[in-house]
mmCIF file of all heavy atoms in Angstrom:
data_model
loop_
_atom_site.group_PDB
_atom_site.id
_atom_site.type_symbol
_atom_site.label_atom_id
_atom_site.label_comp_id
_atom_site.label_asym_id
_atom_site.label_seq_id
_atom_site.Cartn_x
_atom_site.Cartn_y
_atom_site.Cartn_z
ATOM 1 N N ARG A 1 -21.703 40.927 -11.004
ATOM 2 C CA ARG A 1 -21.948 39.493 -10.841
ATOM 3 C C ARG A 1 -23.245 39.129 -11.543
ATOM 4 O O ARG A 1 -24.196 39.913 -11.579
ATOM 5 C CB ARG A 1 -21.948 39.068 -9.388
ATOM 6 C CG ARG A 1 -22.973 39.719 -8.518
ATOM 7 C CD ARG A 1 -22.961 39.106 -7.153
ATOM 8 N NE ARG A 1 -23.940 38.022 -7.209
ATOM 9 C CZ ARG A 1 -24.644 37.614 -6.195
ATOM 10 N NH1 ARG A 1 -24.467 38.126 -5.016
ATOM 11 N NH2 ARG A 1 -25.535 36.669 -6.329
ATOM 12 N N PRO A 2 -23.292 37.937 -12.127
ATOM 13 C CA PRO A 2 -24.501 37.518 -12.837
ATOM 14 C C PRO A 2 -25.635 37.161 -11.877
ATOM 15 O O PRO A 2 -25.399 36.551 -10.823
ATOM 16 C CB PRO A 2 -24.061 36.289 -13.638
ATOM 17 C CG PRO A 2 -22.725 35.910 -13.139
ATOM 18 C CD PRO A 2 -22.202 36.996 -12.272
ATOM 19 N N ALA A 3 -26.838 37.535 -12.249
ATOM 20 C CA ALA A 3 -28.030 37.229 -11.458
ATOM 21 C C ALA A 3 -28.500 35.803 -11.735
ATOM 22 O O ALA A 3 -28.232 35.247 -12.805
ATOM 23 C CB ALA A 3 -29.149 38.210 -11.813
ATOM 24 N N ASP A 4 -29.208 35.228 -10.788
ATOM 25 C CA ASP A 4 -29.877 33.952 -11.028
ATOM 26 C C ASP A 4 -30.990 34.183 -12.053
ATOM 27 O O ASP A 4 -31.701 35.192 -11.988
ATOM 28 C CB ASP A 4 -30.497 33.405 -9.737
ATOM 29 C CG ASP A 4 -29.457 32.818 -8.787
ATOM 30 O OD1 ASP A 4 -28.322 32.547 -9.235
ATOM 31 O OD2 ASP A 4 -29.793 32.628 -7.613
ATOM 32 N N GLU A 5 -31.112 33.238 -12.996
ATOM 33 C CA GLU A 5 -32.116 33.345 -14.049
ATOM 34 C C GLU A 5 -32.791 32.004 -14.263
ATOM 35 O O GLU A 5 -32.223 30.958 -13.956
ATOM 36 C CB GLU A 5 -31.465 33.788 -15.361
ATOM 37 C CG GLU A 5 -30.777 35.132 -15.262
ATOM 38 C CD GLU A 5 -30.269 35.627 -16.592
ATOM 39 O OE1 GLU A 5 -31.044 35.574 -17.581
ATOM 40 O OE2 GLU A 5 -29.111 36.061 -16.658
ATOM 41 N N ALA A 6 -33.985 32.051 -14.812
ATOM 42 C CA ALA A 6 -34.719 30.836 -15.173
ATOM 43 C C ALA A 6 -34.081 30.252 -16.427
ATOM 44 O O ALA A 6 -34.144 30.859 -17.497
ATOM 45 C CB ALA A 6 -36.190 31.153 -15.414
ATOM 46 N N LEU A 7 -33.461 29.074 -16.301
ATOM 47 C CA LEU A 7 -32.724 28.453 -17.398
ATOM 48 C C LEU A 7 -33.208 27.038 -17.641
ATOM 49 O O LEU A 7 -33.920 26.468 -16.819
ATOM 50 C CB LEU A 7 -31.224 28.424 -17.083
ATOM 51 C CG LEU A 7 -30.567 29.761 -16.771
ATOM 52 C CD1 LEU A 7 -29.134 29.553 -16.302
ATOM 53 C CD2 LEU A 7 -30.624 30.685 -17.972
ATOM 54 N N LEU A 8 -32.771 26.490 -18.751
ATOM 55 C CA LEU A 8 -33.045 25.106 -19.103
ATOM 56 C C LEU A 8 -31.719 24.368 -19.144
ATOM 57 O O LEU A 8 -30.816 24.756 -19.889
ATOM 58 C CB LEU A 8 -33.742 25.034 -20.464
ATOM 59 C CG LEU A 8 -34.199 23.661 -20.936
ATOM 60 C CD1 LEU A 8 -35.231 23.064 -19.973
ATOM 61 C CD2 LEU A 8 -34.788 23.765 -22.342
ATOM 62 N N GLU A 9 -31.596 23.332 -18.305
ATOM 63 C CA GLU A 9 -30.414 22.484 -18.308
ATOM 64 C C GLU A 9 -30.630 21.372 -19.327
ATOM 65 O O GLU A 9 -31.659 20.705 -19.324
ATOM 66 C CB GLU A 9 -30.189 21.873 -16.926
ATOM 67 C CG GLU A 9 -28.971 20.970 -16.856
ATOM 68 C CD GLU A 9 -28.859 20.281 -15.523
ATOM 69 O OE1 GLU A 9 -29.691 19.377 -15.246
ATOM 70 O OE2 GLU A 9 -27.967 20.648 -14.746
ATOM 71 N N VAL A 10 -29.643 21.192 -20.205
ATOM 72 C CA VAL A 10 -29.725 20.209 -21.282
ATOM 73 C C VAL A 10 -28.622 19.178 -21.067
ATOM 74 O O VAL A 10 -27.449 19.533 -20.981
ATOM 75 C CB VAL A 10 -29.547 20.875 -22.663
ATOM 76 C CG1 VAL A 10 -29.655 19.851 -23.783
ATOM 77 C CG2 VAL A 10 -30.545 22.017 -22.851
ATOM 78 N N THR A 11 -29.019 17.906 -20.969
ATOM 79 C CA THR A 11 -28.054 16.814 -20.884
ATOM 80 C C THR A 11 -28.524 15.712 -21.831
ATOM 81 O O THR A 11 -29.637 15.755 -22.347
ATOM 82 C CB THR A 11 -27.931 16.250 -19.449
ATOM 83 O OG1 THR A 11 -29.212 15.798 -19.013
ATOM 84 C CG2 THR A 11 -27.397 17.295 -18.475
ATOM 85 N N GLY A 12 -27.669 14.746 -22.050
ATOM 86 C CA GLY A 12 -28.052 13.634 -22.910
ATOM 87 C C GLY A 12 -26.830 12.910 -23.439
ATOM 88 O O GLY A 12 -25.693 13.350 -23.250
ATOM 89 N N ASP A 13 -27.087 11.796 -24.113
ATOM 90 C CA ASP A 13 -26.010 10.960 -24.643
ATOM 91 C C ASP A 13 -25.238 11.631 -25.777
ATOM 92 O O ASP A 13 -24.078 11.323 -26.004
ATOM 93 C CB ASP A 13 -26.570 9.622 -25.141
ATOM 94 C CG ASP A 13 -27.096 8.762 -24.006
ATOM 95 O OD1 ASP A 13 -26.633 8.953 -22.859
ATOM 96 O OD2 ASP A 13 -27.964 7.919 -24.269
ATOM 97 N N HIS A 14 -25.875 12.523 -26.498
ATOM 98 C CA HIS A 14 -25.258 13.155 -27.670
ATOM 99 C C HIS A 14 -25.172 14.663 -27.458
ATOM 100 O O HIS A 14 -25.719 15.447 -28.238
ATOM 101 C CB HIS A 14 -26.051 12.822 -28.939
ATOM 102 C CG HIS A 14 -26.198 11.354 -29.169
ATOM 103 N ND1 HIS A 14 -25.151 10.563 -29.570
ATOM 104 C CD2 HIS A 14 -27.260 10.529 -29.003
ATOM 105 C CE1 HIS A 14 -25.562 9.314 -29.674
ATOM 106 N NE2 HIS A 14 -26.841 9.270 -29.330
ATOM 107 N N LEU A 15 -24.446 15.063 -26.399
ATOM 108 C CA LEU A 15 -24.399 16.469 -26.008
ATOM 109 C C LEU A 15 -23.804 17.362 -27.101
ATOM 110 O O LEU A 15 -24.282 18.473 -27.311
ATOM 111 C CB LEU A 15 -23.606 16.619 -24.708
ATOM 112 C CG LEU A 15 -23.878 17.861 -23.881
ATOM 113 C CD1 LEU A 15 -25.352 18.009 -23.548
ATOM 114 C CD2 LEU A 15 -23.045 17.854 -22.616
ATOM 115 N N LEU A 16 -22.796 16.887 -27.823
ATOM 116 C CA LEU A 16 -22.217 17.698 -28.900
ATOM 117 C C LEU A 16 -23.243 17.961 -29.999
ATOM 118 O O LEU A 16 -23.332 19.070 -30.532
ATOM 119 C CB LEU A 16 -20.981 17.023 -29.490
ATOM 120 C CG LEU A 16 -19.750 17.028 -28.599
ATOM 121 C CD1 LEU A 16 -18.618 16.240 -29.244
ATOM 122 C CD2 LEU A 16 -19.312 18.441 -28.288
ATOM 123 N N ARG A 17 -24.024 16.970 -30.329
ATOM 124 C CA ARG A 17 -25.076 17.135 -31.339
ATOM 125 C C ARG A 17 -26.130 18.126 -30.861
ATOM 126 O O ARG A 17 -26.588 18.988 -31.618
ATOM 127 C CB ARG A 17 -25.710 15.776 -31.650
ATOM 128 C CG ARG A 17 -26.715 15.813 -32.780
ATOM 129 C CD ARG A 17 -27.088 14.370 -33.200
ATOM 130 N NE ARG A 17 -28.480 14.320 -33.548
ATOM 131 C CZ ARG A 17 -29.470 13.895 -32.764
ATOM 132 N NH1 ARG A 17 -29.218 13.413 -31.578
ATOM 133 N NH2 ARG A 17 -30.706 13.916 -33.172
ATOM 134 N N LEU A 18 -26.492 18.033 -29.586
ATOM 135 C CA LEU A 18 -27.468 18.968 -29.027
ATOM 136 C C LEU A 18 -26.907 20.388 -29.037
ATOM 137 O O LEU A 18 -27.622 21.344 -29.364
ATOM 138 C CB LEU A 18 -27.845 18.536 -27.608
ATOM 139 C CG LEU A 18 -28.522 17.169 -27.486
ATOM 140 C CD1 LEU A 18 -28.629 16.752 -26.023
ATOM 141 C CD2 LEU A 18 -29.879 17.165 -28.165
ATOM 142 N N ALA A 19 -25.628 20.530 -28.690
ATOM 143 C CA ALA A 19 -24.987 21.853 -28.711
ATOM 144 C C ALA A 19 -25.000 22.434 -30.124
ATOM 145 O O ALA A 19 -25.224 23.638 -30.312
ATOM 146 C CB ALA A 19 -23.562 21.763 -28.176
ATOM 147 N N TRP A 20 -24.770 21.589 -31.128
ATOM 148 C CA TRP A 20 -24.791 22.054 -32.513
ATOM 149 C C TRP A 20 -26.172 22.607 -32.866
ATOM 150 O O TRP A 20 -26.286 23.681 -33.472
ATOM 151 C CB TRP A 20 -24.418 20.923 -33.484
ATOM 152 C CG TRP A 20 -24.369 21.411 -34.890
ATOM 153 C CD1 TRP A 20 -23.301 21.960 -35.529
ATOM 154 C CD2 TRP A 20 -25.466 21.446 -35.822
ATOM 155 N NE1 TRP A 20 -23.656 22.331 -36.808
ATOM 156 C CE2 TRP A 20 -24.985 22.031 -37.019
ATOM 157 C CE3 TRP A 20 -26.789 21.044 -35.760
ATOM 158 C CZ2 TRP A 20 -25.785 22.215 -38.134
ATOM 159 C CZ3 TRP A 20 -27.596 21.237 -36.877
ATOM 160 C CH2 TRP A 20 -27.088 21.812 -38.050
ATOM 161 N N HIS A 21 -27.231 21.896 -32.484
ATOM 162 C CA HIS A 21 -28.590 22.358 -32.798
ATOM 163 C C HIS A 21 -28.905 23.675 -32.092
ATOM 164 O O HIS A 21 -29.550 24.552 -32.674
ATOM 165 C CB HIS A 21 -29.623 21.281 -32.429
ATOM 166 C CG HIS A 21 -29.709 20.184 -33.444
ATOM 167 N ND1 HIS A 21 -30.364 20.339 -34.645
ATOM 168 C CD2 HIS A 21 -29.199 18.929 -33.440
ATOM 169 C CE1 HIS A 21 -30.273 19.220 -35.345
ATOM 170 N NE2 HIS A 21 -29.565 18.351 -34.640
ATOM 171 N N ILE A 22 -28.453 23.824 -30.858
ATOM 172 C CA ILE A 22 -28.664 25.076 -30.123
ATOM 173 C C ILE A 22 -27.915 26.210 -30.820
ATOM 174 O O ILE A 22 -28.460 27.283 -31.067
ATOM 175 C CB ILE A 22 -28.228 24.919 -28.653
ATOM 176 C CG1 ILE A 22 -29.182 23.965 -27.926
ATOM 177 C CG2 ILE A 22 -28.168 26.281 -27.956
ATOM 178 C CD1 ILE A 22 -28.676 23.492 -26.575
ATOM 179 N N GLY A 23 -26.649 25.976 -31.159
ATOM 180 C CA GLY A 23 -25.845 26.992 -31.830
ATOM 181 C C GLY A 23 -26.371 27.345 -33.206
ATOM 182 O O GLY A 23 -26.300 28.500 -33.631
ATOM 183 N N ASN A 24 -26.929 26.373 -33.891
ATOM 184 C CA ASN A 24 -27.490 26.611 -35.217
ATOM 185 C C ASN A 24 -28.674 27.571 -35.155
ATOM 186 O O ASN A 24 -29.023 28.195 -36.157
ATOM 187 C CB ASN A 24 -27.904 25.285 -35.862
ATOM 188 C CG ASN A 24 -28.194 25.429 -37.336
ATOM 189 O OD1 ASN A 24 -27.453 26.077 -38.063
ATOM 190 N ND2 ASN A 24 -29.291 24.829 -37.767
ATOM 191 N N ARG A 25 -29.277 27.699 -33.998
ATOM 192 C CA ARG A 25 -30.397 28.631 -33.798
ATOM 193 C C ARG A 25 -29.935 29.913 -33.121
ATOM 194 O O ARG A 25 -30.737 30.697 -32.641
ATOM 195 C CB ARG A 25 -31.505 27.956 -33.011
ATOM 196 C CG ARG A 25 -32.342 27.090 -33.951
ATOM 197 C CD ARG A 25 -32.646 25.745 -33.372
ATOM 198 N NE ARG A 25 -33.295 24.882 -34.348
ATOM 199 C CZ ARG A 25 -32.662 23.945 -35.034
ATOM 200 N NH1 ARG A 25 -31.369 23.756 -34.876
ATOM 201 N NH2 ARG A 25 -33.308 23.175 -35.884
ATOM 202 N N HIS A 26 -28.625 30.126 -33.043
ATOM 203 C CA HIS A 26 -28.030 31.345 -32.477
ATOM 204 C C HIS A 26 -28.482 31.603 -31.048
ATOM 205 O O HIS A 26 -28.661 32.753 -30.646
ATOM 206 C CB HIS A 26 -28.327 32.565 -33.366
ATOM 207 C CG HIS A 26 -27.707 32.479 -34.707
ATOM 208 N ND1 HIS A 26 -26.511 33.080 -35.022
ATOM 209 C CD2 HIS A 26 -28.108 31.841 -35.840
ATOM 210 C CE1 HIS A 26 -26.210 32.818 -36.277
ATOM 211 N NE2 HIS A 26 -27.161 32.069 -36.802
ATOM 212 N N MET A 27 -28.673 30.529 -30.283
ATOM 213 C CA MET A 27 -29.071 30.654 -28.880
ATOM 214 C C MET A 27 -27.824 30.813 -28.004
ATOM 215 O O MET A 27 -26.900 30.021 -28.139
ATOM 216 C CB MET A 27 -29.792 29.383 -28.399
ATOM 217 C CG MET A 27 -31.140 29.131 -28.986
ATOM 218 S SD MET A 27 -32.462 30.037 -28.173
ATOM 219 C CE MET A 27 -32.280 29.601 -26.470
ATOM 220 N N PRO A 28 -27.788 31.790 -27.122
ATOM 221 C CA PRO A 28 -26.690 31.841 -26.157
ATOM 222 C C PRO A 28 -26.690 30.541 -25.352
ATOM 223 O O PRO A 28 -27.746 30.048 -24.952
ATOM 224 C CB PRO A 28 -27.034 33.035 -25.271
ATOM 225 C CG PRO A 28 -28.000 33.852 -26.082
ATOM 226 C CD PRO A 28 -28.745 32.879 -26.944
ATOM 227 N N CYS A 29 -25.507 29.981 -25.122
ATOM 228 C CA CYS A 29 -25.404 28.681 -24.469
ATOM 229 C C CYS A 29 -24.190 28.650 -23.546
ATOM 230 O O CYS A 29 -23.076 28.977 -23.965
ATOM 231 C CB CYS A 29 -25.291 27.588 -25.535
ATOM 232 S SG CYS A 29 -25.214 25.909 -24.876
ATOM 233 N N GLN A 30 -24.426 28.275 -22.310
ATOM 234 C CA GLN A 30 -23.346 28.059 -21.347
ATOM 235 C C GLN A 30 -22.940 26.592 -21.450
ATOM 236 O O GLN A 30 -23.762 25.702 -21.236
ATOM 237 C CB GLN A 30 -23.835 28.394 -19.939
ATOM 238 C CG GLN A 30 -22.776 28.297 -18.872
ATOM 239 C CD GLN A 30 -23.274 28.833 -17.555
ATOM 240 O OE1 GLN A 30 -24.073 29.776 -17.498
ATOM 241 N NE2 GLN A 30 -22.805 28.239 -16.469
ATOM 242 N N ILE A 31 -21.680 26.354 -21.789
ATOM 243 C CA ILE A 31 -21.192 24.999 -22.033
ATOM 244 C C ILE A 31 -20.367 24.546 -20.842
ATOM 245 O O ILE A 31 -19.381 25.195 -20.485
ATOM 246 C CB ILE A 31 -20.351 24.954 -23.328
ATOM 247 C CG1 ILE A 31 -21.201 25.431 -24.506
ATOM 248 C CG2 ILE A 31 -19.791 23.561 -23.559
ATOM 249 C CD1 ILE A 31 -20.412 25.702 -25.766
ATOM 250 N N GLU A 32 -20.778 23.447 -20.240
ATOM 251 C CA GLU A 32 -20.070 22.878 -19.103
ATOM 252 C C GLU A 32 -19.841 21.398 -19.358
ATOM 253 O O GLU A 32 -20.460 20.807 -20.238
ATOM 254 C CB GLU A 32 -20.889 23.066 -17.818
ATOM 255 C CG GLU A 32 -21.128 24.518 -17.458
ATOM 256 C CD GLU A 32 -21.958 24.678 -16.200
ATOM 257 O OE1 GLU A 32 -22.354 23.652 -15.586
ATOM 258 O OE2 GLU A 32 -22.232 25.828 -15.835
ATOM 259 N N THR A 33 -18.974 20.800 -18.574
ATOM 260 C CA THR A 33 -18.746 19.364 -18.680
ATOM 261 C C THR A 33 -20.038 18.645 -18.317
ATOM 262 O O THR A 33 -20.543 18.786 -17.210
ATOM 263 C CB THR A 33 -17.616 18.912 -17.733
ATOM 264 O OG1 THR A 33 -16.435 19.643 -18.071
ATOM 265 C CG2 THR A 33 -17.356 17.429 -17.861
ATOM 266 N N GLY A 34 -20.602 17.909 -19.269
ATOM 267 C CA GLY A 34 -21.789 17.111 -19.005
ATOM 268 C C GLY A 34 -23.121 17.801 -19.127
ATOM 269 O O GLY A 34 -24.165 17.159 -18.969
ATOM 270 N N ARG A 35 -23.132 19.132 -19.382
ATOM 271 C CA ARG A 35 -24.419 19.807 -19.528
ATOM 272 C C ARG A 35 -24.278 21.119 -20.278
ATOM 273 O O ARG A 35 -23.199 21.704 -20.363
ATOM 274 C CB ARG A 35 -25.071 20.053 -18.177
ATOM 275 C CG ARG A 35 -24.448 21.185 -17.387
ATOM 276 C CD ARG A 35 -25.195 21.445 -16.108
ATOM 277 N NE ARG A 35 -24.699 22.658 -15.457
ATOM 278 C CZ ARG A 35 -25.376 23.340 -14.558
ATOM 279 N NH1 ARG A 35 -26.569 22.915 -14.178
ATOM 280 N NH2 ARG A 35 -24.872 24.419 -14.020
ATOM 281 N N LEU A 36 -25.420 21.567 -20.800
ATOM 282 C CA LEU A 36 -25.538 22.868 -21.446
ATOM 283 C C LEU A 36 -26.615 23.642 -20.703
ATOM 284 O O LEU A 36 -27.575 23.048 -20.200
ATOM 285 C CB LEU A 36 -25.964 22.710 -22.908
ATOM 286 C CG LEU A 36 -25.128 21.770 -23.773
ATOM 287 C CD1 LEU A 36 -25.813 21.534 -25.121
ATOM 288 C CD2 LEU A 36 -23.738 22.330 -23.966
ATOM 289 N N LEU A 37 -26.477 24.952 -20.617
ATOM 290 C CA LEU A 37 -27.513 25.799 -20.040
ATOM 291 C C LEU A 37 -27.932 26.822 -21.086
ATOM 292 O O LEU A 37 -27.079 27.456 -21.720
ATOM 293 C CB LEU A 37 -27.002 26.539 -18.801
ATOM 294 C CG LEU A 37 -26.738 25.705 -17.563
ATOM 295 C CD1 LEU A 37 -26.104 26.566 -16.468
ATOM 296 C CD2 LEU A 37 -28.018 25.075 -17.058
ATOM 297 N N ILE A 38 -29.239 26.968 -21.271
ATOM 298 C CA ILE A 38 -29.784 27.962 -22.187
ATOM 299 C C ILE A 38 -30.952 28.675 -21.508
ATOM 300 O O ILE A 38 -31.502 28.194 -20.511
ATOM 301 C CB ILE A 38 -30.249 27.337 -23.523
ATOM 302 C CG1 ILE A 38 -31.368 26.313 -23.294
ATOM 303 C CG2 ILE A 38 -29.069 26.712 -24.264
ATOM 304 C CD1 ILE A 38 -32.011 25.796 -24.581
#
C-alpha cells in the first residue's frame, strides 16, 4: 500500500495546460478529476 507523502495539489482553470507543463518536465503526476498531485 502507498504511504502518505508530502505532495502539492494543483488545480486551476486550465488544468490540461498545467498537466502539460508538469509532464514536459518529466514529473510523476497523479491525475484526478479536477486536480493533479505531484
Side-chain angles (χ1 to χ4, degrees):
R1 60 174 269 210
D4 285 344
E5 300 186 47
L7 304 173
L8 185 61
E9 180 186 71
V10 181
T11 58
D13 293 335
H14 304 288
L15 202 55
L16 288 176
R17 186 169 143 261
L18 298 170
W20 183 88
H21 281 283
I22 292 167
N24 193 44
R25 279 135 187 100
H26 295 263
M27 291 277 306
C29 182
Q30 184 172 327
I31 302 168
E32 298 179 0
T33 302
R35 75 176 188 160
L36 307 170
L37 290 174
I38 61 172

